[in-house]
Each structure stands twice: as C-alpha cells, then as structure tokens.
Amino acid sequence: MGRIGLQQNKLLMMVLINVSNLFCHSLFSILPSFFPQEAHAKRMSKDAVGIVFACFPAVIFLTSPFAGPFMTRHGKKRVYTTGLIIVSASTICFSVASYLPAGSPFATWCLFFRLLQGLGSAMEETAAYAIIAELDSANVSLLMGLTEISTGLGYMVGPPLGGFLFALCGFSTPFVVLGLALLPAAALIYYRLPPDDRRRSNDENKGDVSMKVLMRNPQIALIALASTLANSDYAFLEPTLGDHAKGFGHAHTEAGIGMLFSVSSVTYTLACPLIGMLANRSVPLTAAGSHPPLLRASQPQPHSLASVLRTHSWPFLLTRASLTQTIPYLPSLIPHARTRRERFGPRPIIVTGLLLQLIGFLLIGPSPLLNLGPHLGMTQLVGALVLFGAGESMSMTPVMDDMMHSCGDLADASVNSLSSILAASFSLGQMVGPVLGTTLTSRFSFPSACTVMAVVLLLHTSAILVMDMLPVKKGLKEGAYQELDPLNPPEVASAE
C-alpha cells in the first residue's frame, strides 16, 4: 500500500476501520436475539437453524486463505471495500426472507445469504488485519488492541439493538438498518484509503511468502493454534453456560444468561487496549548517526542533532518544521536511551492469557481436580468469566505482532498471508468451540468437560514454552522447514 500516505492518515484510517468493524460485528451478532424464534415460526428445524449459525465461521475459515493472494494481486483497498459491500448487500437481502413461504424457501434463502455474508466477512477481516499491520509495524499489538474495542462493542451492541429493531418494526428492520449503515463507511474507506502499491503480476507474486511456507514455521503454527483455542474456549460456553448457571440458580431467564456473557464481553473490550500497550514490543529509536524515519529518503539527511543545529539558523528552530528533524535525535542525548524499553512483548502475554483461561475453566466447572465440591458460588462464576474475558484479550490481541516477529526480515512480505492465517484461526475457534462444548458436556458432565479443556490449554501452553527453549533450527534441505527469523531468512525472489 502507499505506505507514506497510509501512515500520514493513520488516525483517519483507524477511525474508519473501527467504525466499519463496529457495524460489521453488530450485524453479525443480531441473529441470536430474534432469528431462532422467527425461524421456528417459519417451520425451520433446529438443526437447520444451527447450520445457519455455524456456516458463517465455516465460510470464513475456508475462504480467508484465498484473501491473502487476492490482496497481493488486487490490493488491500479493493479487497477490503469489496468485502464490506458484500456484507452490506447480503445483509440487506437477508431481510427479504420474512416475505418468503415457510419451509424450504425460507431456509434456503437464509442459508445462502448467510454464506455470502461469511464470504464478505472473510475478505474485510483479512484485509483489515493486513492494513493495520502496515499502518505501523512497530505498534501492531497496540493498534490491534484498539481495533478489538470496536469488535467487543459490536458483539455487545448487536443482540440488544437487533431485538429492539425487531420489536419496533419487524424482521426486516435490523438487517436493512445495519446493512445500509455500513455503506457510507465503505465509501469513505474507498475514497480515503491510499492506493495499494503492492499489486503484482503473476511473476512478481513470488516475492510474497505463502501460507504454506509460513505454516511450516512451528512458531507461527503454535501461535495460530493458540488463537484458535482462545476463541474456541469462549465459544465452548455459548451452548453450555446457560444450563449450567440455571442448575446452580444463578440465572433463571434468558436476560440473566445474557448478563453473565456480558461479563466476559465487557472485560474483553476494556482489556484489549491495555493488553495492546503491554504486548507492544520495543522498537529501536533513531540514534545519532542514523537517519530519522520521519524524513523522506529524497531529502538531504543530517547525521546528528548537532548537524541539524549547525545547518539551520535559530529562527528556523522555532518553527514546526524543525520539530520533524530534531525530535528523532533527542533520545540519543540520554544515556542508555537508544532503544525504547520493552514492556513484556507479545509471547509472554499470549501464554499468560492461555493460563488465565485455563484457570477460568477449572473454576467455572468447578473441576474435580480442585476438590471444591459441587457448589458454584456467584463470586466464583463471575470471577471465572472475568478470567475468560481477560485471558481471551491477552491470547488474541498480540497474535499478529508475534507472528510478524517470527517472520523476521520477511514480515512485510508475509503480512497478507499472516492476515489470512489469523482470520482462519479465529473463525476455526468459533466453529469448533460450540461443537466441543455440546459433545463433551453431553457425553460427560460440565465439570469434566471444563477439565478436558483446561488440560488441552495446559498441553498447548507447555508446547509453546518448550518451543521457546529449543535452539533455532537452521536451514534444512530444500523443501523442508526453515526457521523464519532475522538471522536465517529464506531466500525469496524480490519483486522489482
């Protein structure tokens, strides 16, 4: 993408992406508040209703891998705006379902446009991750944390807003209102997003690192699986928590169950920006003798702060233009300040998040391993849900930053494929979680099912820690795995 133009409009791009993200996730989440009842009135079976819900993440999982090469060929801007338009159009068309005859026509119409909605979501989510990574590669975790605020708000606002609009004007209104609201955001992004400068011909596409190569990197594969587990853990509770809470007398109505889920949603939304700041890795700052990043390469480059002061007279130093040339050199005057101090980095945050979710599963069961007895107090239940919200934000927000770091010098060439991996892993968790929840709970008990999930998280966390302690693998024979780190990047044909 036009990197300089994109970075100069960073604030505007973040606002537009978050507005689009808010509308998208609001309309994705409106179905639970009224669709099952309306579908039942239209003689749609419970299995068919479940398929309508499950097909959405399934389509994202299957199609997001193709979005990366499509971005390389046609540009992130085109993929993003096309995805938003598909989401908007399919949502508006979904509203027509209420006018169709009951039975197969209604079910077929809903299923088709839900599939189309998933296709648009795969395109816009994958492109959004890639655009955010290119906005500021040094602060990916922070920007992802800020973006997840709109994601959390969308999932919180969607169900009550959908229920309100349905009660106000009927089945079609929620889809039409939110579908139309997305179009102005898509238009603004189309006209304000700088043109993409990474569109390439078939021969030049070889300069990008493919998903196949990236998934051979165990560091990337482990973290992608971690994001899948993080998403599946919360989805695990969606079909099971209601009955579990009712059994202990903590929720007697659907509204009460919704309030319990809102504990995790609110925690996730509030935690994401903080997690983004904590997970932001250190980035070398410009020291004396190097060129400040704020200057164009075509401009004359001073070599130090002293050079700037000698080159210009004192009236120039009082102008705004002088700040562009002097500020990048100020850290070089402070001893031991040539690099920004690292807080925690993405990997420790991800591991900590998985451990918090592990503890949440042990508490919410409660697991037989804890010997707490069969009783589940409200404080223990709410505490476990807070751990789920905080843990999910920690194990999902820094994922893109961590995987880019694993790519070393090839991070820029890997952004499109990494975005596809990220979208696919998130959607796979949303797809697998409910299946695991219902299957394990029906065959065992809820406490035992939670214990199984905790053990899975423990094993995966242990695998990540073991992988971090192993020495970096050097290049093997051609076609075999090769570690993608700054010391050993594989040779990839550059696109001139």
Side-chain angles (χ1 to χ4, degrees):
M1 188 161 289
R3 184 177 293 271
I4 295 177
L6 184 61
Q7 293 178 346
Q8 287 176 343
N9 293 278
K10 185 188 303 183
L11 178 59
L12 176 62
M13 290 301 101
M14 284 299 297
V15 170
L16 293 177
I17 289 174
N18 276 276
V19 169
S20 302
N21 205 37
L22 175 63
F23 284 129
C24 282
H25 289 90
S26 296
L27 60 87
F28 294 157
S29 61
I30 60 176
L31 289 186
S33 58
F34 62 89
F35 180 76
Q37 297 84 354
E38 186 72 11
H40 179 70
K42 288 282 191 176
R43 300 200 307 269
M44 194 172 177
S45 67
K46 291 184 178 180
D47 290 340
V49 173
I51 292 174
V52 169
F53 278 91
C55 71
F56 180 76
V59 172
I60 298 177
F61 173 71
L62 293 174
T63 58
S64 54
F66 299 99
F70 198 71
M71 285 189 291
T72 301
R73 187 72 181 274
H74 301 285
K76 301 176 184 65
K77 173 181 175 178
R78 181 176 296 183
V79 174
Y80 191 35
T81 53
T82 301
L84 292 176
I85 292 172
I86 292 176
V87 169
S88 176
S90 59
T91 301
I92 295 172
C93 291
F94 200 101
S95 66
V96 181
S98 61
Y99 300 102
L100 297 177
S104 297
F106 176 85
T108 303
W109 185 274
C110 292
L111 179 61
F112 176 78
F113 284 103
R114 187 64 170 174
L115 291 170
L116 199 60
Q117 201 178 52
L119 173 63
S121 177
M123 296 176 68
E124 64 90 8
E125 284 188 16
T126 306
Y129 295 143
I131 292 171
I132 291 170
E134 199 167 71
L135 273 177
D136 189 350
S137 58
N139 295 287
V140 174
S141 291
L142 176 59
L143 297 183
M144 289 292 291
L146 295 175
T147 305
E148 288 302 310
I149 296 177
S150 59
T151 300
L153 287 176
Y155 280 118
M156 284 192 293
V157 170
L161 180 60
F164 171 76
L165 292 175
F166 174 79
L168 186 66
C169 298
F171 180 89
S172 301
T173 308
F175 301 103
V176 174
V177 170
L178 291 175
L180 290 176
L182 190 58
L183 288 177
L188 283 173
I189 289 175
Y190 180 80
Y191 287 108
R192 299 295 299 184
L193 195 65
D196 201 317
D197 60 7
R198 285 180 63 83
R199 284 177 287 181
R200 300 171 180 174
S201 64
N202 287 330
D203 293 335
E204 293 172 327
N205 286 346
K206 298 177 181 178
D208 273 354
V209 181
S210 67
M211 282 184 61
K212 183 178 180 181
V213 172
L214 291 175
M215 290 305 291
R216 291 176 183 170
N217 184 336
Q219 297 285 354
I220 293 177
L222 280 174
I223 295 303
L225 183 56
S227 64
T228 298
L229 289 176
N231 230 349
S232 65
D233 290 346
Y234 183 78
F236 172 96
L237 298 176
E238 290 180 341
T240 58
L241 180 61
D243 291 338
H244 184 61
K246 285 181 179 180
F248 286 99
H250 297 317
H252 303 284
T253 63
E254 284 73 16
I257 296 173
M259 289 296 294
L260 289 177
F261 278 108
S262 69
V263 172
S264 291
S265 300
V266 171
T267 303
Y268 176 85
T269 304
L270 296 178
C272 279
L274 176 61
I275 298 304
M277 290 187 287
L278 294 177
N280 220 32
R281 64 176 66 258
S282 62
V283 180
L285 293 176
T286 303
S290 61
H291 299 321
L294 297 180
L295 297 181
R296 304 286 185 88
S298 59
Q299 296 175 340
Q301 306 290 344
H303 296 286
S304 66
L305 178 61
S307 300
V308 177
L309 298 177
R310 286 196 303 267
T311 303
H312 301 285
S313 60
W314 68 267
F316 169 80
L317 299 177
L318 300 179
T319 65
R320 181 180 177 183
S322 69
L323 297 177
T324 305
Q325 297 191 23
T326 57
I327 286 179
Y329 291 109
L330 294 181
S332 64
L333 302 178
I334 306 173
H336 308 294
R338 292 177 183 266
T339 58
R340 187 188 309 167
R341 187 175 182 181
E342 182 171 346
R343 293 181 177 91
F344 294 99
R347 184 64 60 91
I349 296 294
I350 292 173
V351 171
T352 303
L354 294 175
L355 292 176
L356 289 182
Q357 290 180 293
L358 185 157
I359 298 172
F361 270 120
L362 295 177
L363 291 176
I364 205 171
S367 172
L369 300 177
L370 299 181
N371 293 322
L372 297 177
H375 180 68
L376 176 65
M378 176 60 79
T379 302
Q380 182 176 332
L381 174 60
V382 173
L385 292 173
V386 170
L387 290 177
F388 276 114
E392 187 173 3
S393 68
M394 296 177 74
S395 51
M396 291 176 61
T397 301
V399 167
M400 186 68 172
D401 192 6
D402 188 282
M403 292 195 296
M404 288 179 68
H405 181 66
S406 297
C407 294
D409 293 338
L410 294 174
D412 286 343
S414 305
V415 163
N416 291 346
S417 296
L418 288 177
S419 300
S420 296
I421 293 174
L422 192 62
S425 62
F426 285 173
S427 59
L428 180 61
Q430 293 174 346
M431 186 172 56
V432 170
V435 176
L436 287 176
T438 53
T439 301
L440 292 176
T441 302
S442 61
R443 297 196 176 187
F444 307 101
S445 62
F446 183 81
S448 299
C450 290
T451 303
V452 172
M453 294 300 294
V455 171
V456 172
L457 286 171
L458 179 61
L459 292 175
H460 190 69
T461 305
S462 302
I464 294 175
L465 295 176
V466 169
M467 182 61 62
D468 281 346
M469 291 186 293
L470 293 177
V472 177
K473 292 183 178 181
K474 300 302 179 182
L476 303 178
K477 63 181 180 180
E478 184 177 357
Y481 164 72
Q482 191 173 22
E483 184 72 41
L484 299 178
D485 64 23
L487 299 178
N488 185 32
E491 295 182 0
V492 179
S494 60
E496 299 295 338

